[in-house]
Amino acid sequence: MFLLAQGLVIGISVSAPVGPIGALCISRTLEKGRLSGFFSGLGAACADTCFAIAAALGVGLVESLLNEHQSGFRLIGGLVLLAIGLRTLRAKPTYSHKNGGRLSKRGLIGDFLSTFFLTLTNPMTVLFFAAVFSALGLKVAGQGWHDPAILISGVFIGSCGWWLFLSLGVGILGAGMGPSFRLWMNRIAGLVVMGFGMVMLVSAFFN
């Protein structure tokens, strides 16, 4: 239970800081409803869990991959963020308190996959997990899979819990506001996403 609790805290810690995925989750919740926002966060949670697994198994290969292709990852991520931010900026929120923001399965899968692959373009997260796991003394070698599996499960649950909390909170707030408020909030979120995209592009060329 202690390992699971540690994983929950780590999962929330890696998800809660405001970033492009958080802005995107807020935007989609305002634009299309709570389900869209949650599935967007779920994609990020699954990607973060993949990074946690990589960190638990050892980061030597991952660090080498980062050093060789870091600029490429940032370039792809920046372009995707710019495209998503521009689309968000031009979109009109269709969320309705009556329909609860219901979406088609195809739309939800698209929301999930977009944030999953977008999160994977920023693999520096694996170094965060590596540092935390090292501080906890967690290594697969010599300890088997039981402890890492429990901790990583906690990471996934904690991350999902944060995105559920965010999408529900924003959905409730958006439902209580008028269309013009949701429209302007959506535009602000779009600008924020585009801003993160520009920063990532600049870092790809000049870092």
Side-chain angles (χ1 to χ4, degrees), residues 129-149:
F129 285 116
V132 173
F133 291 172
S134 177
L136 294 175
L138 179 73
K139 293 183 181 297
V140 172
Q143 294 190 23
W145 59 269
H146 185 264
D147 286 356

Side-chain angles (χ1 to χ4, degrees), residues 5-143:
Q6 286 181 315
L8 289 171
V9 173
I10 295 170
I12 294 173
S13 298
V14 76
S15 302
V18 177
I21 302 301
L24 189 56
C25 179
I26 292 172
S27 171
R28 285 179 174 172
T29 301
L30 291 171
E31 179 189 345
K32 298 186 288 185
R34 295 183 293 269
L35 275 177
S36 176
F38 174 67
F39 270 76
S40 298
L42 184 62
C46 289
D48 285 336
T49 303
C50 291
F51 287 140
I53 293 172
L57 293 176
V59 296
L61 180 61
V62 177
E63 285 181 314
S64 176
L65 181 65
L66 288 178
N67 292 331
E68 293 180 9
H69 304 289
Q70 188 174 139
S71 296
F73 282 126
R74 291 180 177 179
L75 179 62
I76 295 172
L79 291 174
V80 172
L81 284 175
L82 281 178
I84 292 177
L86 181 60
R87 177 192 174 280
T88 301
L89 191 64
R90 299 173 60 184
K92 294 182 178 181
T94 58
Y95 177 84
S96 170
H97 182 64
K98 294 181 179 179
N99 64 28
R102 287 192 293 268
L103 293 171
S104 66
K105 290 183 179 180
R106 182 177 179 181
L108 293 176
I109 293 174
D111 291 335
F112 172 89
L113 292 177
S114 62
T115 50
F116 176 79
F117 288 111
L118 183 58
T119 304
L120 289 180
T121 63
N122 184 30
M124 295 302 292
T125 308
V126 74
L127 300 181
F128 166 82
F129 285 116
V132 173
F133 291 172
S134 177
L136 294 175
L138 179 73
K139 293 183 181 297
V140 172
Q143 294 190 23

Side-chain angles (χ1 to χ4, degrees), residues 119-188:
T119 304
L120 289 180
T121 63
N122 184 30
M124 295 302 292
T125 308
V126 74
L127 300 181
F128 166 82
F129 285 116
V132 173
F133 291 172
S134 177
L136 294 175
L138 179 73
K139 293 183 181 297
V140 172
Q143 294 190 23
W145 59 269
H146 185 264
D147 286 356
I150 294 176
L151 187 63
I152 291 170
S153 296
V155 170
F156 177 73
I157 296 171
S159 183
C160 287
W162 167 256
W163 295 118
L164 179 62
F165 168 79
L166 182 64
S167 58
L168 287 177
V170 173
I172 292 172
L173 178 64
M177 301 297 177
S180 59
F181 172 82
R182 298 199 301 272
L183 176 61
W184 279 107
M185 288 298 294
N186 201 55
R187 287 176 176 174
I188 292 173

